[in-house]
Amino acid sequence: MVGCMRKGYCLGIESTADDFGVGIASFEGEILANVNHSYTPEKGGIHPREAARHHAKVAGKVIEEALEKSGIKIDNLSVIAFSQGPGLGPCLRTGATAARALATYLGIPLVGVNHCLAHIEIGKLVTEATDPITLYVSGGNTIIAAFEAGRYRVFGETLDIAVGNCLDVFAREAGLKPENGKALGRIVEEMAIKGRKYITLPYTVKGMDLSFSGLLTAAVSLLHEKKHRLEDVCFSFQETAFSMLTEVTERALAHTEKREVLLTGGVAANKRLQSMLKTMAEEHDARFCGVPREYSPDNGAMIAWTGILCFKHNLTVPVEKSFVKLKWRLDEVEVPWVGE
Ligand code: AMP
Ligand code: MG
């Protein structure tokens, strides 16, 4: 644990999908800056090369803004961290290129951070959770995980699409638009609040894993039938998807007997999901730890903070070996700092 004796700052770059984020954290865990710039496709879902082009275009500006906000000089940085995976190849490579250039120019170490791990670690930092069951729900991932024997073990995950992606595709099929910078999931949430009637939809939990593709197909055909109010379809869609997530998280909680439930990822902003998990956690005498909106979707601060944890344990990577890992699983990562 050589690095833990030093004081310093880490600049972290997030670029796994549609967001290009830059965060700056101190070794003591203070977040000094967290600046994000999102790519919004004109039509349809994320096009990886177009998103990467967006990231390359805004990278310099976002890095500059983060440094300005942090109040520290570029020479005060001691580590550069980047999202090394999992994610979309062109997007990951753009962030990695910027990180390598900075680390080389400044002559400081580089850390490749696992994106899913970073969501958990920033969540723990900002909610003061110590050993939670985590439900991580986003546009690209749906994972129920907890720490056991040196790693975060995946207790359950999606077998097909992520719940955030499922919500976004459904919203586009329903003709909903991301107005005023609001995420599509948020627009579905606002519609669902006005829903009154529950329409049965496929509820697919297989062992500890989940599947959302049947739910999506059935919800889209309900839209085409035009027999129901859109508000009721949104309501039924959310109730079904979130009950599935709550069920698996509850079983993982009961099995591990953890005392905290951490909810993170972009979908964590959803009030209905928060309330279901909170009720479930309280029934098990566990504390519900919802990650605030600033740190729950993809962001640079989580990469900066996890970069510091890795750096303190000498988990740096030479520039020439810093390849991105498109399918890097959470349970492959060594986590030496937990339980120290
Ligand atoms: P991330 O991949 O972590 O950046 O999160 C993006 C995902 O979060 C997208 O699928 C959004 O539609 C979803 N999202 C954002 N806000 C909400 C909300 N209030 N309810 C449900 N999903 C949301
Ligand atoms: Mg995102």
Side-chain angles (χ1 to χ4, degrees):
M1 259 228 301
V2 177
C4 71
M5 304 307 290
R6 296 195 228 152
K7 286 195 182 299
Y9 302 97
C10 175
L11 180 145
I13 299 180
E14 159 57 33
S15 74
T16 51
D18 57 336
D19 299 299
F20 187 86
V22 177
I24 298 178
S26 76
F27 278 26
E28 290 78 29
E30 195 185 343
I31 306 299
L32 304 173
N34 190 27
V35 182
N36 189 57
H37 204 289
S38 294
Y39 147 83
T40 315
E42 277 178 23
K43 214 172 119 231
I46 305 173
H47 188 297
R49 261 177 295 129
E50 265 181 34
R53 217 171 292 139
H54 159 270
H55 297 347
K57 205 165 126 201
V58 303
K61 192 174 78 181
V62 179
I63 293 170
E64 225 170 83
E65 200 182 324
L67 278 165
E68 210 170 282
K69 283 226 165 99
S70 73
I72 66 157
K73 300 224 156 34
I74 194 165
D75 300 337
N76 295 126
L77 293 173
S78 357
V79 195
I80 303 294
F82 70 103
S83 248
Q84 200 173 4
L88 305 171
C91 302
L92 284 169
R93 278 179 217 111
T94 308
T97 305
R100 287 179 201 124
L102 274 176
T104 309
Y105 171 72
L106 296 169
I108 57 177
L110 183 65
V111 175
V113 169
N114 179 284
H115 173 87
C116 309
L117 173 66
H119 270 289
I120 299 178
E121 291 302 340
I122 195 78
K124 284 165 60 188
L125 179 75
V126 299
T127 66
E128 296 182 2
T130 53
D131 184 22
I133 274 282
T134 299
L135 172 61
Y136 162 37
V137 272
S138 71
N141 295 284
T142 301
I143 292 175
I144 295 99
F147 186 83
E148 220 158 281
R151 285 165 196 231
Y152 285 98
R153 309 286 165 175
V154 174
F155 284 82
E157 61 194 315
T158 180
L159 296 169
D160 41 48
I161 50 174
V163 66
N165 186 29
C166 184
L167 278 162
D168 294 347
V169 175
F170 168 75
R172 282 195 290 271
E173 289 286 334
L176 300 171
K177 300 257 161 11
E179 55 199 50
N180 306 329
K182 281 184 197 167
L184 282 169
R186 169 104 185 267
I187 310 221
V188 173
E189 177 179 23
E190 287 172 0
M191 282 271 168
I193 292 169
K194 294 181 235 149
R196 289 187 294 270
K197 191 175 113 197
Y198 180 75
I199 308 147
T200 306
L201 285 165
Y203 181 107
T204 320
V205 173
K206 299 184 180 180
M208 287 292 281
D209 292 326
L210 309 118
S211 161
F212 293 99
S213 56
L215 167 62
L216 178 60
T217 310
V220 170
S221 26
L222 278 187
L223 294 173
H224 293 159
E225 276 174 27
K226 297 197 168 120
K227 276 201 312 223
H228 303 278
R229 290 166 70 229
L230 179 56
E231 290 83 348
D232 290 335
V233 183
C234 290
F235 168 74
S236 309
F237 188 91
Q238 277 201 172
E239 291 303 298
T240 309
F242 297 167
S243 302
M244 287 162 55
L245 293 165
T246 307
E247 179 196 326
V248 177
T249 311
E250 178 169 26
R251 278 200 272 137
L253 180 67
H255 174 75
T256 56
E257 297 183 339
K258 302 274 183 195
R259 308 258 41 95
E260 297 155 330
V261 176
L262 182 74
L263 172 62
T264 193
V267 184
N270 191 290
K271 296 255 179 338
R272 179 62 182 140
L273 178 59
Q274 290 171 9
S275 128
M276 279 192 190
L277 274 203
K278 187 166 188 287
T279 307
M280 180 278 284
E282 284 169 1
E283 278 169 8
H284 290 263
D285 290 325
R287 179 165 77 94
F288 171 70
C289 309
V291 178
R293 199 186 280 256
E294 189 181 355
Y295 300 111
S296 53
D298 295 344
N299 66 86
M302 69 183 195
I303 304 301
W305 172 237
T306 313
I308 290 169
L309 295 172
C310 292
F311 174 71
K312 285 180 174 176
H313 289 79
N314 296 322
L315 297 172
T316 57
V317 60
V319 168
E320 62 280 11
K321 289 194 181 151
S322 59
F323 313 108
V324 296
K325 306 179 196 177
L326 277 57
K327 305 237 178 260
W328 195 14
R329 286 181 60 85
L330 171 67
D331 46 14
E332 289 168 8
V333 191
E334 296 285 348
V335 185
W337 54 83
V338 177
E340 272 189 328

